[in-house]
Amino acid sequence: MKRTIIALLILLAPMLLFAETEETQDAIDALMETIDLSEWDAWFQKNGTESGVLPSAILKQLAGMQDPFETAFRHTDLLSLLKPSVPSVLARMMLFVGLATFGAVLRGISDVSSIGESAGTVLRIGVSAAVLVVSLSEIRTALAAIRTTERTTELLLPAVVGYLALTGQANTALLLPMSQALLSEVVLRLIETCILPSAVIGGVLLVLDANGAGQLYSVGRLLQRAAKWMLATACSFYMLVTAVRSIAAKNADNLLLKTTKLAAASVPSIGSLLAESVDTAYQCMLFVKNALGLTGCIVLISVALKPAFSVFLTRCSLRASALLTEPLAGKPYAELLKGMGDTLHILMLSELVAVSMALMMLIPVLGTGA
């Protein structure tokens, strides 16, 4: 790899001997031609936002090869993102508030008899079923979002690792597949097989225990706390391991740069000028690497934004409904809604943690050399 980076620096050095702007841009253009983002574009069109801006175009913008985007982000763009989800949120809140009102009326007109108790039982079963049906789609959305994040990281790696290998940053290039394997095979697998099932089962038990004081309620709360603890532990472990590996890989690659500059500076007569040219060429490599890494981060966030926002809105509708319905239907009804809302909160955190760890994987690609 040392020979690779030296050869690439020698090829770029003639463009940079006088450090002119046009020559520097030519070097950046030459590096950009080595990057193929066709797979990123196809995946982004399938799973990304409806902005119509592809990752390849974003990379060119970040590298300064074109004029700035014609359209800037406006508050209307955020409203357009929120608008499709607002009717469903309001419909869910009306459903829960309506059921609570019906329960309050039923409790007011029924006396203490077997008929009144049967009607209350039927109402609790109906409310539990409604909450489970509403939450089921969001549970599927959260699970699909985590799997989509995993697939996105797999698609990001070839282009990033290929560029790092081309520019001689062998240690960082080797680090990324190791970090992705740890994320995919260990952490995300733990989330899918242990954390999410524990949170979902806990929420279902809380919903089934409509009175909020039975054995199911205690077990449900225990499972939810266990899911949060496992999620925090897995995230902390991955972040710590990845941070240590990233620092080590970056220092090793920076050492290669220093040895290359020393070798160039030792050339008689033109050593100083050649060393400056090598340093400028390496800065061009870092500039393109940062643009590529930032583009990968934008792709990750864009793909994960919509499902996480959907789960967040459903969780907010459950929590708001719990606050509105507690005076009408009593604390057990509100606890039922809060229990499923806490489950969706854990699912939303799992999505955000998955995206955060994927972004952490790309951290070595960002930043400048020493």
Side-chain angles (χ1 to χ4, degrees):
M1 283 299 175
K2 186 173 181 179
R3 294 180 178 178
T4 303
I5 188 173
I6 292 176
L8 189 58
L9 289 171
I10 291 175
L11 290 175
L12 295 177
M15 306 178 186
L16 303 164
L17 284 175
F18 301 101
E20 295 290 344
T21 303
E22 293 183 358
E23 284 75 6
T24 302
Q25 188 62 49
D26 290 340
I28 294 176
D29 294 344
L31 292 172
M32 291 288 294
E33 291 176 358
T34 65
I35 303 174
D36 181 15
L37 298 186
S38 58
E39 292 186 358
W40 291 22
D41 291 342
W43 181 253
F44 192 76
Q45 286 179 324
K46 180 180 178 181
N47 300 277
T49 61
E50 299 178 354
S51 61
V53 182
L54 298 178
S56 57
I58 296 175
L59 176 62
K60 292 178 181 179
Q61 296 292 331
L62 294 176
M65 296 177 62
Q66 297 179 358
D67 295 332
F69 290 119
E70 296 180 357
T71 58
F73 180 81
R74 302 182 299 271
H75 68 281
T76 54
D77 298 326
L78 179 60
L79 293 178
S80 64
L81 179 64
L82 296 175
K83 188 175 180 180
S85 303
V86 171
S88 62
V89 172
L90 294 178
R92 291 165 186 168
M93 292 183 63
M94 292 177 61
L95 172 64
F96 297 139
V97 174
L99 290 174
T101 304
F102 179 76
V105 173
L106 181 64
R107 185 174 56 181
I109 64 177
S110 63
D111 54 359
V112 182
S113 62
S114 59
I115 298 178
E117 292 178 359
S118 299
T121 302
V122 171
L123 177 64
R124 287 195 295 269
I125 294 174
V127 172
S128 300
V131 172
L132 290 176
V133 170
V134 169
S135 303
L136 181 60
S137 61
E138 300 304 327
I139 293 173
R140 291 177 177 174
T141 299
L143 183 59
I146 293 175
R147 291 174 178 171
T148 301
T149 300
E150 179 181 0
R151 178 59 178 159
T152 303
T153 58
E154 293 176 358
L155 288 174
L156 293 179
L157 280 185
V160 177
V161 172
Y163 177 79
L164 292 175
L166 175 67
T167 55
Q169 302 174 70
N171 296 281
T172 306
L174 292 175
L175 171 66
L176 293 185
M178 295 172 58
S179 299
Q180 198 277 333
L182 177 63
L183 175 63
S184 176
E185 300 299 330
V186 179
V187 182
L188 294 184
R189 200 66 60 233
L190 178 65
I191 291 177
E192 294 177 4
T193 59
C194 295
I195 297 175
L196 293 186
S198 297
V200 172
I201 294 174
V204 171
L205 292 179
L206 291 175
V207 170
L208 295 178
D209 189 0
N211 292 326
Q215 189 68 25
L216 294 180
Y217 182 86
S218 301
V219 176
R221 284 300 182 189
L222 178 62
L223 289 175
Q224 286 186 341
R225 286 194 293 267
K228 290 181 180 180
W229 180 85
M230 287 187 291
L231 182 63
T233 302
C235 179
S236 300
F237 170 76
Y238 179 83
M239 292 292 189
L240 179 61
V241 172
T242 305
V244 173
R245 287 178 172 178
S246 300
I247 294 173
K250 183 177 180 180
N251 290 335
D253 287 334
N254 288 338
L255 179 62
L256 177 60
L257 169 63
K258 293 179 180 179
T259 57
T260 305
K261 290 173 62 177
L262 289 175
S266 62
V267 177
S269 302
I270 62 171
S272 177
L273 181 59
L274 186 58
E276 292 181 2
S277 300
V278 168
D279 183 62
T280 305
Y282 196 80
Q283 294 302 321
C284 290
M285 297 180 193
L286 292 179
F287 176 77
V288 176
K289 183 191 72 170
N290 291 340
L292 182 61
L294 186 56
T295 303
C297 293
I298 293 173
V299 172
L300 270 173
I301 295 174
S302 300
V303 169
L305 180 62
K306 189 173 181 180
F309 190 70
S310 176
V311 176
F312 171 74
L313 287 180
T314 304
R315 185 253 180 188
C316 289
S317 68
L318 287 170
R319 297 289 293 184
S321 300
L323 293 175
L324 294 174
T325 57
E326 185 171 359
L328 295 174
K331 188 175 181 180
Y333 185 92
E335 288 295 328
L336 184 153
L337 298 178
K338 289 180 181 178
M340 185 53 68
D342 291 340
T343 295
L344 294 184
H345 181 67
I346 296 174
L347 298 183
M348 182 188 68
L349 289 179
S350 299
E351 293 181 62
L352 297 179
V353 164
V355 175
S356 299
M357 290 186 294
L359 293 175
M360 184 68 183
M361 181 190 73
L362 294 176
I363 287 298
V365 186
L366 302 174
T368 57

